[in-house]
Amino acid sequence: QVQLVESGGGLVQAGGSLRLSCAASGRSFSGYRMAWFRQAPGKEREFVAAISWGGGTKNYADSVKDRFTISRDNAKNTVYLQLNSLKPEDTAVYYCAAQGSGTYYEIRRYAYWGQGTQVTVSS
């Protein structure tokens, strides 16, 4: 069983920070792009950030650029998302996903997904 398990979500005041983790198991994700998506109630799932296997290429949605930072530790099979300067509109379930090929923003090309972790930002 391939598994991606997110953790680190919670309740934080506007302007605060959280660090999300995504632990992968069940198969090798060597060569895979890893990404974070989020989904707020009543809205479609949207791209947040992505990182290449080697970590040299990072992509961010305009709404989170300069506030969020994606990173990975391949030795630990873990991807991270540092969320800073959080806003109420960042409230959503955050999902980790893995892509073997395709463009970073194309949600349909991500074959593996975690169950999500809730991030709630109060005003």
Side-chain angles (χ1 to χ4, degrees), residues 52-110:
S52 62
W53 167 249
T57 302
K58 299 177 181 180
N59 307 99
Y60 297 96
D62 289 340
S63 59
V64 306
K65 190 174 183 179
D66 298 324
R67 297 191 298 119
F68 294 2
T69 302
I70 189 170
S71 62
R72 68 191 299 170
D73 186 338
N74 292 340
K76 297 197 295 187
N77 257 328
T78 303
V79 183
Y80 305 95
L81 185 67
Q82 179 69 42
L83 301 81
N84 296 327
S85 301
L86 283 163
K87 306 174 181 179
E89 50 262 46
D90 294 319
T91 296
V93 176
Y94 284 71
Y95 298 91
C96 178
Q99 179 190 69
S101 63
T103 50
Y104 68 87
Y105 53 80
E106 180 55 62
I107 190 170
R108 294 182 179 181
R109 303 306 301 270
Y110 286 84

